[in-house]
Amino acid sequence: MYAIVRAGGRQEKVSVGDVLLIDKVGQAGDSIDLIPLLVVDGSSVTSDADKLAKVSVKAEVVKAAKGPKITIMKYKNKTGYRKRQGHRQPLTQVKITSIDA
């Protein structure tokens, strides 16, 4: 059994026991609910909104993490203007604990 869930503006394919990185949510040890968009159980596929309202995908926050370093450079020709900036996106590592259909 697996599900396609909406997590952090993206869609992720998950099954029980999977660990994935999503946008920052909660603290370590918290339990969160993810919104299912599609559930596949053997040969049956559930995509109807009424049936998906009864499905719950639960995940546990494992730890906080950071994405890769992104370097932003601004440069203007002939003026000596140079600006350098960096960014690391805050992420959360979560483990899928259950998919209840």
Side-chain angles (χ1 to χ4, degrees):
M1 172 185 253
Y2 69 89
I4 307 293
V5 297
R6 181 179 301 137
R10 294 183 305 277
Q11 295 178 7
E12 301 278 350
K13 178 183 175 183
V14 298
S15 57
V16 176
D18 285 354
V19 177
L20 62 140
L21 286 173
I22 61 173
D23 287 344
K24 185 177 179 182
V25 291
Q27 302 289 331
D30 289 352
S31 179
I32 60 171
D33 291 328
L34 300 174
I35 301 165
L37 303 173
L38 179 88
V39 175
V40 178
D41 187 12
S43 61
S44 69
V45 177
T46 306
S47 62
D48 185 33
D50 295 333
K51 292 179 183 175
L52 285 174
K54 300 172 188 167
V55 176
S56 68
V57 178
K58 297 195 184 297
E60 180 184 347
V61 176
V62 178
K63 66 177 183 177
K66 287 186 179 180
K69 177 90 171 192
I70 296 171
T71 304
I72 300 119
M73 283 291 297
K74 292 182 180 180
Y75 174 78
K76 298 273 188 199
N77 195 13
K78 300 177 186 170
T79 61
Y81 175 79
R82 291 184 180 100
K83 190 171 185 179
R84 193 172 131 209
Q85 184 179 2
H87 175 75
R88 290 185 74 183
Q89 185 70 24
L91 301 172
T92 302
Q93 188 177 29
V94 297
K95 182 176 181 180
I96 306 300
T97 56
S98 69
I99 300 173
D100 299 325

